[in-house]
Amino acid sequence: MVLGFGMSQFFILSPRGDCVISKDFRGDAAPDMHDTFFRHVKLSEINSPPLFHIDGVTFAFILRNNLLIACTTRFNVQPAAALELLHRIATVFKDYCGVLTEESLRLNFILCYELLDEMIDFGYPQITSTSELKKHVYNEPITVKNEGGMAASLLSSM
Protein backbone atom coordinates (compact mmCIF):
# COMPACT_ATOMS: atom_id res chain seq x y z
CA MET A 1 0.00 0.00 0.00
CA VAL A 2 1.43 3.35 -0.98
CA LEU A 3 0.50 6.24 1.27
CA GLY A 4 0.55 9.78 -0.07
CA PHE A 5 3.66 11.55 1.14
CA GLY A 6 7.44 11.55 1.03
CA MET A 7 9.19 11.16 4.36
CA SER A 8 12.49 12.98 4.87
CA GLN A 9 13.63 11.33 8.10
CA PHE A 10 12.45 8.61 10.44
CA PHE A 11 13.60 8.18 14.02
CA ILE A 12 12.71 6.50 17.28
CA LEU A 13 13.70 8.24 20.50
CA SER A 14 13.89 6.87 24.01
CA PRO A 15 12.11 8.72 26.85
CA ARG A 16 15.47 10.42 27.57
CA GLY A 17 15.79 11.68 24.00
CA ASP A 18 18.42 9.15 22.91
CA CYS A 19 18.13 8.22 19.25
CA VAL A 20 17.53 4.45 19.08
CA ILE A 21 16.84 4.20 15.32
CA SER A 22 17.42 6.95 12.77
CA LYS A 23 17.25 7.01 8.99
CA ASP A 24 17.53 9.94 6.59
CA PHE A 25 15.80 9.16 3.28
CA ARG A 26 16.23 12.41 1.36
CA GLY A 27 18.94 14.56 2.93
CA ASP A 28 16.68 17.62 2.79
CA ALA A 29 16.51 18.23 6.56
CA ALA A 30 19.21 18.94 9.12
CA PRO A 31 20.76 15.86 10.72
CA ASP A 32 19.87 17.08 14.22
CA MET A 33 16.11 17.30 13.61
CA HIS A 34 15.52 14.65 16.26
CA ASP A 35 16.94 17.07 18.86
CA THR A 36 14.65 19.87 17.66
CA PHE A 37 11.72 17.46 17.80
CA PHE A 38 12.55 16.20 21.30
CA ARG A 39 12.97 19.72 22.70
CA HIS A 40 9.62 20.78 21.24
CA VAL A 41 7.76 17.74 22.58
CA LYS A 42 9.34 17.85 26.04
CA LEU A 43 9.09 21.62 26.48
CA SER A 44 5.46 21.89 25.38
CA GLU A 45 3.37 23.16 28.26
CA ILE A 46 0.53 20.90 27.18
CA ASN A 47 0.70 17.64 25.30
CA SER A 48 2.22 18.26 21.90
CA PRO A 49 -0.08 17.52 18.95
CA PRO A 50 0.88 14.50 16.83
CA LEU A 51 1.70 16.80 13.89
CA PHE A 52 3.39 20.16 14.11
CA HIS A 53 5.45 22.46 11.91
CA ILE A 54 8.79 24.14 12.72
CA ASP A 55 10.88 26.15 10.21
CA GLY A 56 9.49 24.52 7.07
CA VAL A 57 9.62 20.97 8.45
CA THR A 58 6.53 19.02 9.45
CA PHE A 59 6.94 16.54 12.30
CA ALA A 60 4.58 13.62 12.91
CA PHE A 61 4.86 11.27 15.85
CA ILE A 62 3.20 8.58 17.91
CA LEU A 63 4.03 7.33 21.39
CA ARG A 64 4.35 3.57 21.92
CA ASN A 65 5.72 2.01 25.13
CA ASN A 66 7.32 5.36 26.05
CA LEU A 67 9.14 5.44 22.69
CA LEU A 68 8.66 8.47 20.46
CA ILE A 69 8.28 7.18 16.90
CA ALA A 70 8.55 10.12 14.53
CA CYS A 71 9.15 11.30 11.00
CA THR A 72 9.84 14.59 9.26
CA THR A 73 8.85 15.88 5.86
CA ARG A 74 9.07 19.08 3.86
CA PHE A 75 5.96 18.19 1.84
CA ASN A 76 2.37 19.18 2.53
CA VAL A 77 1.32 15.92 4.19
CA GLN A 78 -1.93 14.12 4.72
CA PRO A 79 -2.00 13.87 8.52
CA ALA A 80 -3.77 10.51 8.58
CA ALA A 81 -1.28 9.03 6.10
CA ALA A 82 1.74 10.10 8.18
CA LEU A 83 0.29 8.76 11.43
CA GLU A 84 -0.91 5.53 9.79
CA LEU A 85 2.57 4.87 8.41
CA LEU A 86 4.13 5.39 11.85
CA HIS A 87 1.59 2.98 13.37
CA ARG A 88 2.36 0.39 10.70
CA ILE A 89 6.11 0.68 11.23
CA ALA A 90 5.63 0.28 14.99
CA THR A 91 3.44 -2.78 14.41
CA VAL A 92 5.97 -4.40 12.06
CA PHE A 93 8.83 -3.79 14.53
CA LYS A 94 6.72 -5.30 17.31
CA ASP A 95 5.78 -8.30 15.15
CA TYR A 96 9.43 -9.01 14.36
CA CYS A 97 11.01 -8.18 17.74
CA GLY A 98 8.33 -9.65 20.00
CA VAL A 99 7.86 -6.47 22.01
CA LEU A 100 8.43 -2.85 21.11
CA THR A 101 10.95 -1.60 23.66
CA GLU A 102 14.22 0.25 23.57
CA GLU A 103 16.02 -2.99 24.43
CA SER A 104 14.34 -5.01 21.66
CA LEU A 105 15.14 -2.33 19.08
CA ARG A 106 18.77 -2.10 20.17
CA LEU A 107 19.17 -5.89 20.04
CA ASN A 108 17.58 -6.00 16.58
CA PHE A 109 18.90 -2.78 15.06
CA ILE A 110 20.25 -4.53 11.93
CA LEU A 111 16.86 -6.15 11.38
CA CYS A 112 15.08 -2.83 11.98
CA TYR A 113 17.19 -1.07 9.35
CA GLU A 114 16.56 -3.91 6.90
CA LEU A 115 12.83 -3.59 7.57
CA LEU A 116 12.97 0.18 7.02
CA ASP A 117 14.81 -0.35 3.72
CA GLU A 118 12.03 -2.68 2.56
CA MET A 119 9.14 -0.57 3.90
CA ILE A 120 10.28 2.85 2.66
CA ASP A 121 12.05 3.75 -0.57
CA PHE A 122 13.42 7.32 -0.89
CA GLY A 123 10.84 8.37 1.70
CA TYR A 124 7.86 6.76 -0.01
CA PRO A 125 6.07 3.86 1.73
CA GLN A 126 6.19 0.53 -0.09
CA ILE A 127 5.46 -2.69 1.83
CA THR A 128 4.00 -2.27 5.32
CA SER A 129 2.57 -5.74 5.92
CA THR A 130 4.44 -8.16 8.18
CA SER A 131 3.43 -11.18 6.10
CA GLU A 132 4.61 -9.53 2.85
CA LEU A 133 7.87 -8.37 4.44
CA LYS A 134 8.67 -11.92 5.51
CA LYS A 135 9.33 -12.72 1.83
CA HIS A 136 11.97 -9.96 1.58
CA VAL A 137 13.68 -9.82 4.98
CA TYR A 138 16.34 -12.38 5.78
CA ASN A 139 17.77 -11.39 9.17
CA GLU A 140 16.51 -13.43 12.08
CA PRO A 141 15.09 -11.49 15.02
CA ILE A 142 16.54 -11.70 18.51
CA THR A 143 13.29 -12.22 20.40
CA VAL A 144 12.91 -10.32 23.65
CA LYS A 145 10.69 -11.69 26.37
CA ASN A 146 7.71 -9.56 27.33
CA GLU A 147 6.66 -8.83 30.92
CA GLY A 148 4.95 -12.22 31.24
CA GLY A 149 8.27 -13.98 30.57
CA MET A 150 7.19 -15.41 27.21
CA ALA A 151 8.86 -14.77 23.87
CA ALA A 152 6.23 -13.07 21.75
CA SER A 153 7.28 -12.91 18.13
CA LEU A 154 4.48 -13.06 15.60
CA LEU A 155 6.90 -14.56 13.09
CA SER A 156 7.25 -17.81 15.02
CA SER A 157 3.57 -18.52 14.41
CA MET A 158 3.72 -17.75 10.67
Side-chain angles (χ1 to χ4, degrees), residues 10 12 21 62-65 67 69 85-106 108 111-113 115-116 119 128-131 133 141-147 150-158:
F10 172 82
I12 299 176
I21 301 282
I62 61 172
L63 184 65
R64 287 269 182 97
N65 294 343
L67 295 172
I69 302 168
L85 179 60
L86 294 175
H87 280 288
R88 287 179 186 227
I89 292 171
T91 299
V92 167
F93 283 177
K94 181 183 177 292
D95 290 347
Y96 270 85
C97 298
V99 291
L100 187 62
T101 62
E102 184 177 351
E103 176 190 9
S104 68
L105 293 175
R106 288 191 192 279
N108 290 290
L111 173 64
C112 291
Y113 282 106
L115 288 166
L116 280 174
M119 287 191 282
T128 58
S129 164
T130 302
S131 58
L133 283 166
I142 300 169
T143 308
V144 176
K145 295 184 189 280
N146 60 16
E147 289 97 29
M150 302 203 37
S153 175
L154 212 151
L155 294 180
S156 59
S157 62
M158 292 181 138

Side-chain angles (χ1 to χ4, degrees), residues 5-156:
F5 79 98
M7 182 187 305
S8 295
Q9 298 170 331
F10 172 82
F11 46 86
I12 299 176
L13 302 180
S14 74
R16 300 170 309 285
D18 299 330
C19 200
V20 181
I21 301 282
S22 175
K23 183 135 176 106
D24 189 336
F25 295 102
R26 298 175 164 277
D28 64 353
D32 64 345
M33 279 291 151
H34 56 86
D35 291 331
T36 303
F37 164 78
F38 188 73
R39 278 192 309 275
H40 177 81
V41 170
K42 287 300 177 183
L43 296 177
S44 292
E45 291 181 17
I46 57 172
N47 289 340
S48 181
L51 272 90
F52 56 90
H53 195 77
I54 299 174
D55 296 331
V57 177
T58 300
F59 294 85
F61 79 98
I62 61 172
L63 184 65
R64 287 269 182 97
N65 294 343
N66 290 325
L67 295 172
L68 292 162
I69 302 168
C71 68
T72 66
T73 184
R74 289 196 173 271
F75 295 101
N76 185 10
V77 299
Q78 299 172 4
L83 297 175
E84 176 66 18
L85 179 60
L86 294 175
H87 280 288
R88 287 179 186 227
I89 292 171
T91 299
V92 167
F93 283 177
K94 181 183 177 292
D95 290 347
Y96 270 85
C97 298
V99 291
L100 187 62
T101 62
E102 184 177 351
E103 176 190 9
S104 68
L105 293 175
R106 288 191 192 279
L107 287 173
N108 290 290
F109 75 95
I110 294 172
L111 173 64
C112 291
Y113 282 106
E114 183 179 7
L115 288 166
L116 280 174
D117 285 342
E118 293 297 331
M119 287 191 282
I120 301 168
D121 187 24
F122 194 62
Y124 293 100
Q126 302 298 312
I127 303 170
T128 58
S129 164
T130 302
S131 58
E132 288 296 316
L133 283 166
K134 190 175 179 190
K135 300 172 189 174
H136 304 284
V137 174
Y138 299 106
N139 279 308
E140 291 294 320
I142 300 169
T143 308
V144 176
K145 295 184 189 280
N146 60 16
E147 289 97 29
M150 302 203 37
S153 175
L154 212 151
L155 294 180
S156 59

